[in-house]
Amino acid sequence: MLLIHCPYCEDSLPELEFAYAGEAHIARPADPSTLSDEEWRDFLFIRTNARGPHYERWRHISCGRFFNALRDTVSDRFLMTYKAGQPRPQLNEAAE
Amino acid sequence: MTYEKHHFAAALAVVEDLAPALRLSLRVKPAHSATLGQALGLDLPTRVGARVAAGGTEALCLGPDEWLLTAPEGTDLATPARAVYADAPHSLVDISDREISLRLSGPAVLDLLAACCPRNVAAMPVGTAARTVFDSATVILWRDGPADFRMDIWRSFAPHVRALLAQVQGELAAGL
Ligand SMILES: [Zn+2]
C-alpha cells in the first residue's frame, strides 16, 4: 500500500485515507466575467498532464484538509507534500 | 471440547453497543481555540489525533480547526461557548444522532480492526483517536487501551460495518 505523508497530521498514512483532487496551483480568476471563452476554457479544462513530477492537490479524510503534493506520474512516487497556500516548491527543493 | 474451544474463541474480539452520548462538532480558527477551551473548561488539543478530558467532557482534535466534543447526554456546552462567541467566532453543531458508537475489545481486537482498516492500528498510541476508514466507511477510532477501542460510525454505514465485524469475528472464532 502506498503511504502518503499528510503535512497536517505529520504522519505517513495509507492512500485509502486520501482522495485525489486534480492539479494544484490553478488560481480561480479574480473576475471571471472579463475572461474570453478561450481563457475560461483553459481555466476549467486545460491541464499540464505532466509525464514526471506533477503538482497536485489531495485531501486527507482524517484531518479533512486539502494539501499539495509533488508526485512523479511515471513512478507514482511522492517527492514531497506541503500545506495548501504554500508557494510551489522547485524540483530541486523536493530532491533534498 | 469443540464447543468449549469455540466458546473461548468467541471472546477473542468483543463488539458491544455503547449508550448514546452528546457529540458536538466544533469548528474554530486555531487563534481562537484557547479562548473557547477556557469557556468549555478544557485545553483544546492542537495536535491532530490528540485528546483531552476534563469534567466528563472530552475533546478530540480532528483537524487544525476542527474538534469533536463528547460528553454525557444533557451536558450544556452551548451556553458557555455562546458567552465567548464575540471574542471567538465559531460553529458548534450537535451531531449526537449522526453516529452510533461501538466498543471493540479483546485479545484479537487488532486483528478484527486490521481486517478492514488500512491504517496501522497497532501503531496508534493509547489515548489518541483518528478519523479513518473502515472498508471505505468513515469512522472515528478511539484507542482507550492496548486492546480496547471505541468506534463512531455514521448511522447509515452501521449495518455494513456491523456485518463485516460479525463476519471477521466468525473467522477469528474459526481460527482463520
Ligand atoms: Zn491529515
Side-chain angles (χ1 to χ4, degrees), chain A residues 6 8-9 60 62-63:
Chain A
C6 173
Y8 294 97
C9 295
H60 186 208
S62 294
C63 57

Side-chain angles (χ1 to χ4, degrees), chain B residues 59-90:
Chain B
L60 160 64
C61 180
L62 284 174
D65 60 359
E66 183 180 9
W67 286 266
L68 175 66
L69 307 174
T70 61
E73 278 192 315
T75 309
D76 180 18
L77 295 175
T79 305
R82 198 177 294 126
V84 295
Y85 188 83
D87 297 326
H90 61 271

Side-chain angles (χ1 to χ4, degrees), chain B residues 22 30 90 110 134 173:
Chain B
L22 177 71
H90 61 271
L110 288 175
F134 187 91

